[in-house]
Amino acid sequence: MIKTILVALDASNLSESVMASLHELQLENVDKIVLSHVLSEQNPDLELAADRPHGYADNLAYRQIEQQLQAYQEQLPCPSDIEIVTGDPAEEIVRLANIYKANLIVIGNRGLTGLKRILQGSVSSQVLEDAPCSVWVVKPPVA
């Protein structure tokens, strides 16, 4: 029985498909859903200019992500948490799955192939390989 589901969302339109797929499950029997978003780390070698304000754009992006996750959270019929973390997306998703003892990870797949997949990597493939539980990969809708 699925008790805890970790849902990995990003800022793309694919998040809508992931949430729609999630509702195909019998969520009333789930103890908790964790809606997560991983912010990519900025280049640590990059020096910030001392004469310019920092953080405003980052804070604005964080608030927008938080508001979107809260909107998704309101649609859920069971208890839920929101996790917004910074780091490598695949590593952080697996880490959160371990922390919450997730029975299932629901994640989108951008459908990258060939050279794009090699250069940009596939978060869903890495999560599938490293996850401590089952992973449901949601493909982008066919246009």
Side-chain angles (χ1 to χ4, degrees), residues 6-114:
L6 176 70
V7 183
L9 300 166
D10 61 15
S12 73
N13 293 338
L14 187 55
S15 292
E16 295 293 331
S17 296
V18 170
M19 289 302 295
S21 295
L22 179 67
H23 288 290
E24 292 177 20
L25 299 173
Q26 293 180 349
L27 298 177
E28 295 80 20
N29 300 326
V30 174
D31 288 345
K32 181 182 282 189
I33 294 177
V34 180
L35 301 175
S36 66
H37 183 101
V38 181
L39 298 166
S40 296
E41 289 182 294
Q42 293 189 3
N43 187 347
D45 298 332
L46 197 67
E47 290 190 28
L48 299 174
D51 61 343
R52 294 189 202 134
H54 302 285
Y56 178 74
D58 294 338
N59 193 23
L60 185 61
Y62 179 91
R63 288 178 195 256
Q64 288 174 336
I65 292 165
E66 183 179 42
Q67 288 173 348
Q68 182 62 56
L69 293 181
Q70 287 171 341
Y72 289 143
Q73 192 176 32
E74 291 173 5
Q75 300 171 12
L76 299 173
C78 59
S80 60
D81 286 339
I82 291 176
E83 285 283 351
I84 302 173
V85 296
T86 301
D88 175 80
E91 289 176 13
E92 292 300 318
I93 292 166
V94 170
R95 184 180 70 81
L96 288 171
N98 282 312
I99 289 171
Y100 282 95
K101 296 178 178 36
N103 304 103
L104 177 66
I105 298 171
V106 181
I107 187 170
N109 178 300
R110 294 180 291 170
L112 298 179
T113 58

